[in-house]
Amino acid sequence: MSTSRVPPAFLDAMVEYFGARVEIVGTSAGLHVVVWFNDFAAQDEESLAATAREAGIGIYPISRLFSLATERRAGFVFGYASMPARNIPDGVRLLAKTLPR
């Protein structure tokens, strides 16, 4: 049985466009990964997800899945299973252009 991992294209693009602004968790989870944004507050998740959605990018606030009582930064679930690896860097680049700096 093989272990699924986040596509290297996703990890490379996140490092290129966000660098130390993010922490990526669950890289061997399979079809999704959690990305914590160190420079966005937890209470901004919904508005950031809406901004991304308007640009055609689906990211999902982690607070919908558990309480953020102890977490102060924004976190999102990213799914990548339906996206060809060659398109991932363009999606991350668009996200970086879309979110406030």
Side-chain angles (χ1 to χ4, degrees), residues 14 18 21-22 35 37 39-40 44-53 55 57 59 74 76 78 92-101:
M14 290 301 289
F18 291 101
R21 294 175 59 197
V22 297
V35 177
F37 282 80
D39 55 348
F40 296 129
D44 296 330
E45 284 181 349
E46 291 293 338
S47 64
L48 292 168
T51 298
R53 192 169 38 257
I57 302 165
I59 58 175
F76 299 93
F78 283 71
V92 174
R93 179 183 47 77
L94 180 58
L95 178 65
K97 286 176 53 177
T98 302
L99 295 182
R101 294 205 97 182

Side-chain angles (χ1 to χ4, degrees), residues 79-96:
Y80 48 82
S82 65
M83 181 175 278
R86 68 182 179 279
N87 295 348
I88 291 173
D90 289 336
V92 174
R93 179 183 47 77
L94 180 58
L95 178 65

